[in-house]
Amino acid sequence: MFRIAINKYLEEHGFEAFHPKAVLFDMDGVLYDSMPNHAVAWQESMAKFGIHMTADDAYATEGARGVDTIRQMALQQLHREIDEAEAQRMYDEKSRIFHSLPEAPLMPGILELMQQIQTAGMQCGIVTGSGQLPLIQRLQKDFGAFVDQAHITTAYDVKRGKPAPDPYLMGLQKAGDLQPNEAIVVENAPLGVRSGHAARIFTIAVNTGPLPNEVLLAAGADILFPTMPALTKSFDVFMSSRNDPERVK
């Protein structure tokens, strides 16, 4: 399974080899089991501004910059364009509600996976569509043994959020100006998968939400796992496939 996925990736993007030196993680739904809280916060906050947002909408737009999501939904439902400043004020209300909810737990298996990555001599990075300071501070508290602030890419590091390739291209830059075939993306949302794929990085989808597997595969995932523990359990085998010269050209 891994050999086939890697060789298909190499052929599609025209790379001769796959030598990952970093793993770039999305945050919500990958590092934290936080998407249920985000869905509640999105629905409650947008209702205050006359925008109807469902839980499925929250999952489908996850990974994009919040202000971009708001501007798009305002155009669709309110039939007017709003500037980034107005969208930011609306997003601030969403953030306020989110932080009033119970703190989301770490995703099962994530610390073990980061330890495996570190043991393999690779680095970890985080690429999130969020720019909320409390979340960035929590990342440093929870994952400081594996990721420092210099390797965290937020909404404020790019002008175009996911699904554009910009966030993951910035992640490559922060990881030491790596080439796309020198990294791995771990995502749970279609916009994030599209972003990783557009950046030409090998993209692993982990389906921690309610969307069908087909949605993530259609977005460009190179391989899919049903849970984070499933990825953690298989990661060493995946890395062995990468290092086997008879399997990967």
Side-chain angles (χ1 to χ4, degrees):
M1 176 177 69
F2 300 126
R3 176 184 59 82
I4 293 172
I6 293 171
N7 281 339
K8 182 179 178 182
Y9 162 78
L10 293 173
E11 182 177 354
E12 178 178 359
H13 296 287
F15 294 124
E16 293 184 358
F18 178 53
H19 296 305
K21 300 176 181 178
V23 179
L24 306 178
F25 292 93
D26 177 39
M27 181 175 68
D28 293 304
V30 173
L31 304 183
Y32 299 109
D33 190 10
S34 50
M35 281 309 298
N37 284 359
H38 279 290
V40 170
W42 273 118
Q43 291 176 89
E44 291 187 4
S45 61
M46 291 303 101
K48 295 183 178 184
F49 300 102
I51 294 176
H52 175 68
M53 191 167 187
T54 66
D56 283 352
D57 290 332
Y59 280 93
T61 59
E62 189 223 330
R65 295 197 315 157
V67 292
D68 291 339
T69 296
I70 291 170
R71 294 180 73 180
Q72 181 180 22
M73 298 202 78
L75 184 61
Q76 291 173 348
Q77 296 190 26
L78 304 181
H79 308 293
R80 67 183 182 91
E81 293 187 1
I82 62 175
D83 60 23
E84 187 147 340
E86 182 177 356
Q88 184 63 55
R89 289 192 294 272
M90 297 165 70
Y91 185 65
D92 288 344
E93 176 61 13
K94 182 263 177 181
S95 299
R96 184 193 68 78
I97 294 174
F98 177 81
H99 289 294
S100 72
L101 299 171
E103 190 172 72
L106 270 65
M107 192 64 73
I110 186 59
L111 291 177
E112 294 86 347
L113 177 57
M114 285 191 170
Q115 183 61 65
Q116 289 178 335
I117 292 166
Q118 189 177 78
T119 300
M122 301 166 64
Q123 58 180 302
C124 296
I126 298 172
V127 178
T128 174
S130 175
Q132 301 174 45
L133 182 58
L135 290 179
I136 306 308
Q137 291 173 332
R138 188 185 175 194
L139 285 173
Q140 294 175 276
K141 174 176 68 74
D142 292 336
F143 302 104
F146 306 104
V147 186
D148 60 25
Q149 187 172 1
H151 292 82
I152 300 175
T153 301
T154 75
Y156 298 115
D157 289 311
V158 295
K159 291 184 178 180
R160 298 191 305 167
K162 303 172 186 178
D166 305 35
Y168 281 110
L169 293 176
M170 178 60 69
L172 291 176
Q173 182 177 325
K174 289 192 174 192
D177 291 323
L178 299 182
Q179 295 301 308
N181 61 329
E182 296 179 315
I184 297 168
V185 163
V186 180
E187 270 283 356
N188 74 305
L191 294 186
V193 170
R194 287 171 57 191
S195 178
H197 182 78
R200 303 170 68 215
I201 304 172
F202 188 92
T203 301
I204 296 174
V206 184
N207 196 354
T208 60
L211 300 176
N213 290 342
E214 291 73 17
V215 173
L216 297 171
L217 293 171
D222 294 289
I223 198 166
L224 183 142
F225 291 88
T227 64
M228 187 59 68
L231 170 57
T232 300
K233 183 178 180 180
S234 300
F235 190 75
D236 284 342
V237 177
F238 172 73
M239 294 304 291
S240 297
S241 297
R242 174 217 45 173
N243 290 324
D244 187 344
E246 292 184 0
R247 295 183 177 185
V248 183
K249 297 178 181 179

PDB file of all heavy atoms in Angstrom, residues 197-226:
ATOM      1  N   HIS A 197      -1.612  19.125  -1.585  1.00  0.00           N
ATOM      2  CA  HIS A 197      -1.460  18.582  -2.940  1.00  0.00           C
ATOM      3  C   HIS A 197      -0.985  19.660  -3.908  1.00  0.00           C
ATOM      4  O   HIS A 197      -0.107  19.403  -4.751  1.00  0.00           O
ATOM      5  CB  HIS A 197      -2.785  17.992  -3.407  1.00  0.00           C
ATOM      6  CG  HIS A 197      -2.724  17.366  -4.762  1.00  0.00           C
ATOM      7  ND1 HIS A 197      -2.194  16.118  -4.992  1.00  0.00           N
ATOM      8  CD2 HIS A 197      -3.131  17.831  -5.979  1.00  0.00           C
ATOM      9  CE1 HIS A 197      -2.262  15.841  -6.284  1.00  0.00           C
ATOM     10  NE2 HIS A 197      -2.826  16.858  -6.900  1.00  0.00           N
ATOM     11  N   ALA A 198      -1.552  20.863  -3.790  1.00  0.00           N
ATOM     12  CA  ALA A 198      -1.149  21.959  -4.677  1.00  0.00           C
ATOM     13  C   ALA A 198       0.294  22.365  -4.446  1.00  0.00           C
ATOM     14  O   ALA A 198       0.969  22.843  -5.370  1.00  0.00           O
ATOM     15  CB  ALA A 198      -2.071  23.166  -4.462  1.00  0.00           C
ATOM     16  N   ALA A 199       0.784  22.163  -3.213  1.00  0.00           N
ATOM     17  CA  ALA A 199       2.185  22.455  -2.911  1.00  0.00           C
ATOM     18  C   ALA A 199       3.108  21.322  -3.347  1.00  0.00           C
ATOM     19  O   ALA A 199       4.318  21.401  -3.169  1.00  0.00           O
ATOM     20  CB  ALA A 199       2.352  22.720  -1.419  1.00  0.00           C
ATOM     21  N   ARG A 200       2.533  20.238  -3.897  1.00  0.00           N
ATOM     22  CA  ARG A 200       3.268  19.081  -4.421  1.00  0.00           C
ATOM     23  C   ARG A 200       3.963  18.297  -3.316  1.00  0.00           C
ATOM     24  O   ARG A 200       5.002  17.682  -3.530  1.00  0.00           O
ATOM     25  CB  ARG A 200       4.267  19.518  -5.504  1.00  0.00           C
ATOM     26  CG  ARG A 200       3.637  20.268  -6.668  1.00  0.00           C
ATOM     27  CD  ARG A 200       4.674  20.872  -7.571  1.00  0.00           C
ATOM     28  NE  ARG A 200       5.430  19.846  -8.287  1.00  0.00           N
ATOM     29  CZ  ARG A 200       6.726  19.949  -8.581  1.00  0.00           C
ATOM     30  NH1 ARG A 200       7.408  21.015  -8.217  1.00  0.00           N
ATOM     31  NH2 ARG A 200       7.337  18.986  -9.235  1.00  0.00           N
ATOM     32  N   ILE A 201       3.365  18.303  -2.119  1.00  0.00           N
ATOM     33  CA  ILE A 201       3.898  17.565  -0.980  1.00  0.00           C
ATOM     34  C   ILE A 201       3.086  16.284  -0.811  1.00  0.00           C
ATOM     35  O   ILE A 201       1.861  16.290  -0.999  1.00  0.00           O
ATOM     36  CB  ILE A 201       3.814  18.418   0.305  1.00  0.00           C
ATOM     37  CG1 ILE A 201       4.536  19.750   0.115  1.00  0.00           C
ATOM     38  CG2 ILE A 201       4.411  17.667   1.488  1.00  0.00           C
ATOM     39  CD1 ILE A 201       4.321  20.722   1.268  1.00  0.00           C
ATOM     40  N   PHE A 202       3.746  15.191  -0.441  1.00  0.00           N
ATOM     41  CA  PHE A 202       3.032  13.948  -0.166  1.00  0.00           C
ATOM     42  C   PHE A 202       2.061  14.201   0.977  1.00  0.00           C
ATOM     43  O   PHE A 202       2.462  14.582   2.085  1.00  0.00           O
ATOM     44  CB  PHE A 202       4.021  12.839   0.221  1.00  0.00           C
ATOM     45  CG  PHE A 202       3.384  11.481   0.338  1.00  0.00           C
ATOM     46  CD1 PHE A 202       3.350  10.618  -0.749  1.00  0.00           C
ATOM     47  CD2 PHE A 202       2.804  11.062   1.529  1.00  0.00           C
ATOM     48  CE1 PHE A 202       2.770   9.363  -0.651  1.00  0.00           C
ATOM     49  CE2 PHE A 202       2.213   9.811   1.644  1.00  0.00           C
ATOM     50  CZ  PHE A 202       2.192   8.954   0.549  1.00  0.00           C
ATOM     51  N   THR A 203       0.769  14.001   0.721  1.00  0.00           N
ATOM     52  CA  THR A 203      -0.274  14.401   1.664  1.00  0.00           C
ATOM     53  C   THR A 203      -1.018  13.202   2.220  1.00  0.00           C
ATOM     54  O   THR A 203      -1.641  12.441   1.479  1.00  0.00           O
ATOM     55  CB  THR A 203      -1.262  15.373   0.992  1.00  0.00           C
ATOM     56  OG1 THR A 203      -0.541  16.532   0.543  1.00  0.00           O
ATOM     57  CG2 THR A 203      -2.337  15.804   1.971  1.00  0.00           C
ATOM     58  N   ILE A 204      -0.939  13.048   3.543  1.00  0.00           N
ATOM     59  CA  ILE A 204      -1.660  12.000   4.258  1.00  0.00           C
ATOM     60  C   ILE A 204      -2.946  12.598   4.816  1.00  0.00           C
ATOM     61  O   ILE A 204      -2.921  13.606   5.513  1.00  0.00           O
ATOM     62  CB  ILE A 204      -0.817  11.440   5.420  1.00  0.00           C
ATOM     63  CG1 ILE A 204       0.447  10.765   4.883  1.00  0.00           C
ATOM     64  CG2 ILE A 204      -1.633  10.464   6.257  1.00  0.00           C
ATOM     65  CD1 ILE A 204       1.414  10.304   5.968  1.00  0.00           C
ATOM     66  N   ALA A 205      -4.073  11.987   4.499  1.00  0.00           N
ATOM     67  CA  ALA A 205      -5.353  12.402   5.070  1.00  0.00           C
ATOM     68  C   ALA A 205      -5.705  11.467   6.227  1.00  0.00           C
ATOM     69  O   ALA A 205      -5.555  10.251   6.111  1.00  0.00           O
ATOM     70  CB  ALA A 205      -6.457  12.356   4.019  1.00  0.00           C
ATOM     71  N   VAL A 206      -6.141  12.047   7.338  1.00  0.00           N
ATOM     72  CA  VAL A 206      -6.638  11.285   8.476  1.00  0.00           C
ATOM     73  C   VAL A 206      -8.082  11.718   8.687  1.00  0.00           C
ATOM     74  O   VAL A 206      -8.351  12.887   8.998  1.00  0.00           O
ATOM     75  CB  VAL A 206      -5.804  11.533   9.746  1.00  0.00           C
ATOM     76  CG1 VAL A 206      -6.285  10.645  10.874  1.00  0.00           C
ATOM     77  CG2 VAL A 206      -4.328  11.281   9.471  1.00  0.00           C
ATOM     78  N   ASN A 207      -9.022  10.803   8.506  1.00  0.00           N
ATOM     79  CA  ASN A 207     -10.432  11.180   8.529  1.00  0.00           C
ATOM     80  C   ASN A 207     -10.975  11.175   9.956  1.00  0.00           C
ATOM     81  O   ASN A 207     -11.599  10.215  10.404  1.00  0.00           O
ATOM     82  CB  ASN A 207     -11.268  10.258   7.647  1.00  0.00           C
ATOM     83  CG  ASN A 207     -12.632  10.851   7.350  1.00  0.00           C
ATOM     84  OD1 ASN A 207     -12.990  11.892   7.894  1.00  0.00           O
ATOM     85  ND2 ASN A 207     -13.387  10.200   6.490  1.00  0.00           N
ATOM     86  N   THR A 208     -10.745  12.293  10.651  1.00  0.00           N
ATOM     87  CA  THR A 208     -11.201  12.424  12.033  1.00  0.00           C
ATOM     88  C   THR A 208     -12.560  13.112  12.139  1.00  0.00           C
ATOM     89  O   THR A 208     -13.027  13.381  13.248  1.00  0.00           O
ATOM     90  CB  THR A 208     -10.170  13.208  12.865  1.00  0.00           C
ATOM     91  OG1 THR A 208     -10.009  14.523  12.297  1.00  0.00           O
ATOM     92  CG2 THR A 208      -8.822  12.499  12.864  1.00  0.00           C
ATOM     93  N   GLY A 209     -13.181  13.397  11.007  1.00  0.00           N
ATOM     94  CA  GLY A 209     -14.464  14.088  11.010  1.00  0.00           C
ATOM     95  C   GLY A 209     -15.561  13.273  10.350  1.00  0.00           C
ATOM     96  O   GLY A 209     -15.401  12.077  10.101  1.00  0.00           O
ATOM     97  N   PRO A 210     -16.684  13.931  10.020  1.00  0.00           N
ATOM     98  CA  PRO A 210     -17.842  13.208   9.483  1.00  0.00           C
ATOM     99  C   PRO A 210     -17.869  13.071   7.968  1.00  0.00           C
ATOM    100  O   PRO A 210     -18.773  12.440   7.431  1.00  0.00           O
ATOM    101  CB  PRO A 210     -19.003  14.088   9.951  1.00  0.00           C
ATOM    102  CG  PRO A 210     -18.442  15.472   9.900  1.00  0.00           C
ATOM    103  CD  PRO A 210     -16.994  15.348  10.304  1.00  0.00           C
ATOM    104  N   LEU A 211     -16.911  13.671   7.280  1.00  0.00           N
ATOM    105  CA  LEU A 211     -16.954  13.651   5.822  1.00  0.00           C
ATOM    106  C   LEU A 211     -16.579  12.276   5.279  1.00  0.00           C
ATOM    107  O   LEU A 211     -15.740  11.581   5.859  1.00  0.00           O
ATOM    108  CB  LEU A 211     -16.006  14.713   5.254  1.00  0.00           C
ATOM    109  CG  LEU A 211     -16.297  16.165   5.659  1.00  0.00           C
ATOM    110  CD1 LEU A 211     -15.228  17.090   5.094  1.00  0.00           C
ATOM    111  CD2 LEU A 211     -17.672  16.589   5.184  1.00  0.00           C
ATOM    112  N   PRO A 212     -17.163  11.862   4.179  1.00  0.00           N
ATOM    113  CA  PRO A 212     -16.805  10.563   3.581  1.00  0.00           C
ATOM    114  C   PRO A 212     -15.344  10.530   3.151  1.00  0.00           C
ATOM    115  O   PRO A 212     -14.772  11.558   2.757  1.00  0.00           O
ATOM    116  CB  PRO A 212     -17.739  10.470   2.365  1.00  0.00           C
ATOM    117  CG  PRO A 212     -18.845  11.435   2.622  1.00  0.00           C
ATOM    118  CD  PRO A 212     -18.238  12.544   3.429  1.00  0.00           C
ATOM    119  N   ASN A 213     -14.744   9.346   3.210  1.00  0.00           N
ATOM    120  CA  ASN A 213     -13.361   9.190   2.757  1.00  0.00           C
ATOM    121  C   ASN A 213     -13.164   9.705   1.344  1.00  0.00           C
ATOM    122  O   ASN A 213     -12.121  10.279   1.007  1.00  0.00           O
ATOM    123  CB  ASN A 213     -12.950   7.716   2.814  1.00  0.00           C
ATOM    124  CG  ASN A 213     -12.793   7.197   4.229  1.00  0.00           C
ATOM    125  OD1 ASN A 213     -12.660   7.964   5.182  1.00  0.00           O
ATOM    126  ND2 ASN A 213     -12.810   5.879   4.370  1.00  0.00           N
ATOM    127  N   GLU A 214     -14.178   9.495   0.506  1.00  0.00           N
ATOM    128  CA  GLU A 214     -14.065   9.868  -0.899  1.00  0.00           C
ATOM    129  C   GLU A 214     -13.804  11.367  -1.077  1.00  0.00           C
ATOM    130  O   GLU A 214     -13.155  11.782  -2.035  1.00  0.00           O
ATOM    131  CB  GLU A 214     -15.329   9.469  -1.661  1.00  0.00           C
ATOM    132  CG  GLU A 214     -15.521   7.968  -1.825  1.00  0.00           C
ATOM    133  CD  GLU A 214     -15.939   7.268  -0.534  1.00  0.00           C
ATOM    134  OE1 GLU A 214     -16.389   7.966   0.410  1.00  0.00           O
ATOM    135  OE2 GLU A 214     -15.804   6.029  -0.460  1.00  0.00           O
ATOM    136  N   VAL A 215     -14.319  12.177  -0.166  1.00  0.00           N
ATOM    137  CA  VAL A 215     -14.125  13.632  -0.252  1.00  0.00           C
ATOM    138  C   VAL A 215     -12.644  13.977  -0.086  1.00  0.00           C
ATOM    139  O   VAL A 215     -12.101  14.818  -0.816  1.00  0.00           O
ATOM    140  CB  VAL A 215     -14.977  14.354   0.804  1.00  0.00           C
ATOM    141  CG1 VAL A 215     -14.654  15.848   0.846  1.00  0.00           C
ATOM    142  CG2 VAL A 215     -16.463  14.147   0.521  1.00  0.00           C
ATOM    143  N   LEU A 216     -11.984  13.322   0.855  1.00  0.00           N
ATOM    144  CA  LEU A 216     -10.571  13.588   1.106  1.00  0.00           C
ATOM    145  C   LEU A 216      -9.692  13.027  -0.009  1.00  0.00           C
ATOM    146  O   LEU A 216      -8.726  13.656  -0.430  1.00  0.00           O
ATOM    147  CB  LEU A 216     -10.161  12.999   2.448  1.00  0.00           C
ATOM    148  CG  LEU A 216     -10.876  13.594   3.665  1.00  0.00           C
ATOM    149  CD1 LEU A 216     -10.563  12.799   4.927  1.00  0.00           C
ATOM    150  CD2 LEU A 216     -10.488  15.054   3.862  1.00  0.00           C
ATOM    151  N   LEU A 217     -10.043  11.861  -0.509  1.00  0.00           N
ATOM    152  CA  LEU A 217      -9.278  11.281  -1.609  1.00  0.00           C
ATOM    153  C   LEU A 217      -9.442  12.106  -2.880  1.00  0.00           C
ATOM    154  O   LEU A 217      -8.479  12.335  -3.619  1.00  0.00           O
ATOM    155  CB  LEU A 217      -9.715   9.836  -1.841  1.00  0.00           C
ATOM    156  CG  LEU A 217      -9.374   8.866  -0.702  1.00  0.00           C
ATOM    157  CD1 LEU A 217     -10.057   7.516  -0.938  1.00  0.00           C
ATOM    158  CD2 LEU A 217      -7.862   8.681  -0.584  1.00  0.00           C
ATOM    159  N   ALA A 218     -10.646  12.586  -3.129  1.00  0.00           N
ATOM    160  CA  ALA A 218     -10.896  13.406  -4.316  1.00  0.00           C
ATOM    161  C   ALA A 218     -10.163  14.742  -4.235  1.00  0.00           C
ATOM    162  O   ALA A 218      -9.839  15.338  -5.260  1.00  0.00           O
ATOM    163  CB  ALA A 218     -12.398  13.647  -4.485  1.00  0.00           C
ATOM    164  N   ALA A 219      -9.901  15.201  -3.017  1.00  0.00           N
ATOM    165  CA  ALA A 219      -9.179  16.468  -2.839  1.00  0.00           C
ATOM    166  C   ALA A 219      -7.699  16.326  -3.148  1.00  0.00           C
ATOM    167  O   ALA A 219      -6.993  17.330  -3.268  1.00  0.00           O
ATOM    168  CB  ALA A 219      -9.374  16.981  -1.413  1.00  0.00           C
ATOM    169  N   GLY A 220      -7.218  15.076  -3.252  1.00  0.00           N
ATOM    170  CA  GLY A 220      -5.829  14.858  -3.642  1.00  0.00           C
ATOM    171  C   GLY A 220      -4.971  14.136  -2.631  1.00  0.00           C
ATOM    172  O   GLY A 220      -3.740  14.116  -2.776  1.00  0.00           O
ATOM    173  N   ALA A 221      -5.581  13.533  -1.596  1.00  0.00           N
ATOM    174  CA  ALA A 221      -4.792  12.793  -0.611  1.00  0.00           C
ATOM    175  C   ALA A 221      -4.046  11.641  -1.280  1.00  0.00           C
ATOM    176  O   ALA A 221      -4.614  10.914  -2.095  1.00  0.00           O
ATOM    177  CB  ALA A 221      -5.691  12.265   0.496  1.00  0.00           C
ATOM    178  N   ASP A 222      -2.786  11.470  -0.934  1.00  0.00           N
ATOM    179  CA  ASP A 222      -1.991  10.377  -1.488  1.00  0.00           C
ATOM    180  C   ASP A 222      -2.275   9.060  -0.783  1.00  0.00           C
ATOM    181  O   ASP A 222      -2.125   7.992  -1.368  1.00  0.00           O
ATOM    182  CB  ASP A 222      -0.501  10.712  -1.383  1.00  0.00           C
ATOM    183  CG  ASP A 222      -0.125  11.885  -2.266  1.00  0.00           C
ATOM    184  OD1 ASP A 222      -0.126  11.716  -3.494  1.00  0.00           O
ATOM    185  OD2 ASP A 222       0.143  12.981  -1.721  1.00  0.00           O
ATOM    186  N   ILE A 223      -2.684   9.138   0.467  1.00  0.00           N
ATOM    187  CA  ILE A 223      -3.041   7.958   1.247  1.00  0.00           C
ATOM    188  C   ILE A 223      -3.953   8.413   2.385  1.00  0.00           C
ATOM    189  O   ILE A 223      -3.895   9.583   2.803  1.00  0.00           O
ATOM    190  CB  ILE A 223      -1.778   7.247   1.781  1.00  0.00           C
ATOM    191  CG1 ILE A 223      -2.092   5.814   2.206  1.00  0.00           C
ATOM    192  CG2 ILE A 223      -1.119   8.049   2.883  1.00  0.00           C
ATOM    193  CD1 ILE A 223      -0.846   4.969   2.426  1.00  0.00           C
ATOM    194  N   LEU A 224      -4.805   7.521   2.867  1.00  0.00           N
ATOM    195  CA  LEU A 224      -5.785   7.901   3.886  1.00  0.00           C
ATOM    196  C   LEU A 224      -5.778   6.903   5.035  1.00  0.00           C
ATOM    197  O   LEU A 224      -5.685   5.692   4.816  1.00  0.00           O
ATOM    198  CB  LEU A 224      -7.180   7.998   3.267  1.00  0.00           C
ATOM    199  CG  LEU A 224      -8.308   8.463   4.198  1.00  0.00           C
ATOM    200  CD1 LEU A 224      -9.290   9.365   3.445  1.00  0.00           C
ATOM    201  CD2 LEU A 224      -9.074   7.253   4.780  1.00  0.00           C
ATOM    202  N   PHE A 225      -5.898   7.429   6.263  1.00  0.00           N
ATOM    203  CA  PHE A 225      -6.038   6.611   7.462  1.00  0.00           C
ATOM    204  C   PHE A 225      -7.337   6.993   8.167  1.00  0.00           C
ATOM    205  O   PHE A 225      -7.737   8.159   8.145  1.00  0.00           O
ATOM    206  CB  PHE A 225      -4.855   6.818   8.407  1.00  0.00           C
ATOM    207  CG  PHE A 225      -3.563   6.267   7.897  1.00  0.00           C
ATOM    208  CD1 PHE A 225      -2.732   7.036   7.091  1.00  0.00           C
ATOM    209  CD2 PHE A 225      -3.174   4.972   8.202  1.00  0.00           C
ATOM    210  CE1 PHE A 225      -1.541   6.527   6.596  1.00  0.00           C
ATOM    211  CE2 PHE A 225      -1.983   4.452   7.716  1.00  0.00           C
ATOM    212  CZ  PHE A 225      -1.168   5.231   6.918  1.00  0.00           C
ATOM    213  N   PRO A 226      -7.993   6.031   8.825  1.00  0.00           N
ATOM    214  CA  PRO A 226      -9.280   6.329   9.461  1.00  0.00           C
ATOM    215  C   PRO A 226      -9.162   7.086  10.777  1.00  0.00           C
ATOM    216  O   PRO A 226     -10.098   7.773  11.176  1.00  0.00           O
ATOM    217  CB  PRO A 226      -9.884   4.942   9.693  1.00  0.00           C
ATOM    218  CG  PRO A 226      -8.693   4.044   9.842  1.00  0.00           C
ATOM    219  CD  PRO A 226      -7.657   4.594   8.889  1.00  0.00           C
TER     220      PRO A 226
END
